[in-house]
């Protein structure tokens, strides 16, 4: 362990703990582990002990100190920084998972179960094999589990997931042309509302504001705070403003650009919001502001 880390730990007192951040999937959540004497650097691989068993993960946060309030006990240990042999074992597991999914699909068809298999996943030590699936309702898969256990000679778990989780597992490109947010950098799903689309001045056509999963796009949520902040700083439509060219009424606003279009004597001109001064808000806006203040 580096001298710098040791010095930081010695000076931190009992309110902090040393951790390593591990991620098991791209775009997945980061979990803290007890370094257990190991020093990991960014993008190293590590073998860790989890509630599911022994797992292979990627270091996304090197050894650091965090407040004990940020830790969900018990803090499980890093067993070791992955060796070349461990990396090869993980690659072999990935190949086995592909074959396992094919076999499981055949078993599902044989048992005539209405379920859609999404992904299979071995623990690093092969002690457990998990199959993820979607279905319209509850599925009685007890006989399927027995069949799979006798085939793979390991512990079997079938886990039903939602349609948003399916999109996260499968990945793909969104309407923006970029990879899905959920499968690249969003660790958790947050609630998304139609109000967020309204505030961003988007079409309320469901096909235009829904992702591949059929639910409202995740970007509406994580971009919402920025839009809300910029909207508060920008004169709303129908407000009366004073401009360098006289008094007019706002006909259109672009919060992110910080500009407004103002009608002055039937002429439309664009101004930056810093160039105008609000003289009066539209009645509806003023009423809503009063309600918020109450």
């Amino acid at each position: 362990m580096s001298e710098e880390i040791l010095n930081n730990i010695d000076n931190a007192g009992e309110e902090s703990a040393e951790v390593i951040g591990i991620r098991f999937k791209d775009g997945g959540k980061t979990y803290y582990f007890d370094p257990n004497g190991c020093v990991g650097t960014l993008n190293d691989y590590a073998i860790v002990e989890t509630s599911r068993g022994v797992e292979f993960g990627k270091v996304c946060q090197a050894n650091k100190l965090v407040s004990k309030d940020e830790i969900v006990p018990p803090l499980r240990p890093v067993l070791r920084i992955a060796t070349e042999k461990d990396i090869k074992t993980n690659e072999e597991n990935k190949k086995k998972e592909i074959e396992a999914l094919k076999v499981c699909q055949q078993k599902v068809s044989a048992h005539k179960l209405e379920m859609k298999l999404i992904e299979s996943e071995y623990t690093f030590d092969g002690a457990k094999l998990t199959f993820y699936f979607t279905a319209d309702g509850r599925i009685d898969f007890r006989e399927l589990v027995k069949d799979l256990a006798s085939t793979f000679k390991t512990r079997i778990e079938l886990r039903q997931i939602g349609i948003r989780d399916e999109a996260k597992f499968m990945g793909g490109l969104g309407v923006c042309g970029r990879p899905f947010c959920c499968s690249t950098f969003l660790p958790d799903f947050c609630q998304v509302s139609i109000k967020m689309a309204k505030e961003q001045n988007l079409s309320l056509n469901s096909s235009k504001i829904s992702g591949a999963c059929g639910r409202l796009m995740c970007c509406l949520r994580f971009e919402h705070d920025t839009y809300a902040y910029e909207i508060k700083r920008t004169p709303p439509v129908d407000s009366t403003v004073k401009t360098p060219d006289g008094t007019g009424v706002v006909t259109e606003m672009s919060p992110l650009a910080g500009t407004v279009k103002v009608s002055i004597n039937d002429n439309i001109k664009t101004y930056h919001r810093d160039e105008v001064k609000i003289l009066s808000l539209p009645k509806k806006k003023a009423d809503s502001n009063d309600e918020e203040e109450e």
Side-chain angles (χ1 to χ4, degrees), residues 8-34:
N8 288 339
I9 293 172
D10 290 338
N11 296 330
E14 297 181 356
E15 298 303 316
S16 299
E18 185 190 9
V19 299
I20 289 183
I22 302 292
R23 185 178 291 161
F24 299 102
K25 291 182 179 295
D26 292 337
K29 184 183 292 187
T30 297
Y31 296 90
Y32 286 148
F33 288 85
D34 177 358

Side-chain angles (χ1 to χ4, degrees), residues 23 25-29 168 181-188:
R23 185 178 291 161
K25 291 182 179 295
D26 292 337
K29 184 183 292 187
K168 186 179 181 73
C181 301
C182 61
S183 62
T184 51
F185 67 90
L186 282 183
D188 294 305

Side-chain angles (χ1 to χ4, degrees), residues 9 51 107 186 253 290 294:
I9 293 172
S51 58
K107 300 290 186 183
L186 282 183
M253 59 185 287
D290 290 340
E294 291 175 4

